[in-house]
Amino acid sequence: MSILFEVGVVHYTHSVVVIVSVSPTFLEYIEFVMGMHQQGHWGDLNEFEASISDIGLVAGTSVTSHYDLVEEFELLGEALVIITDLMLSITVVAVRE
């Protein structure tokens, strides 16, 4: 599947930066799920939340993805959350604990 939108400037929350400094392979995981995000796979969102991202994609406003962390990273938090503001071309990557 092709990329549906560009993520623009990516901002990582402080907790993500700390995790990557301790576990550099976490950055590879982020890159993988960022690709899924750009393809319109919203991860582990429920149906209602996913439909909001679908609407945001069509409207050109914002999209959100939520990916439960794989077993390798479960001790680092619960999920990786990616929010892209399509109008501002800014993406925020955060870990939900």
Side-chain angles (χ1 to χ4, degrees), residues 8-80:
V9 178
V10 178
H11 296 274
Y12 299 98
T13 61
H14 179 73
S15 60
V16 171
V17 173
V18 169
I19 292 170
V20 168
S21 69
V22 173
S23 178
T25 58
F26 190 62
L27 188 56
E28 294 173 16
Y29 180 70
I30 292 171
E31 291 171 356
F32 172 75
V33 296
M34 187 78 74
M36 300 292 289
H37 176 75
Q38 287 182 285
Q39 292 175 18
H41 298 287
W42 311 129
D44 299 304
L45 292 177
N46 65 42
E47 190 175 321
F48 176 74
E49 293 168 325
S51 69
I52 292 173
S53 283
D54 289 337
I55 292 167
L57 179 62
V58 171
T61 54
S62 67
V63 294
T64 300
S65 294
H66 179 281
Y67 303 91
D68 291 340
L69 294 182
V70 294
E71 186 176 332
E72 178 181 356
F73 302 116
E74 281 180 343
L75 296 176
L76 304 174
E78 182 181 324
L80 189 65

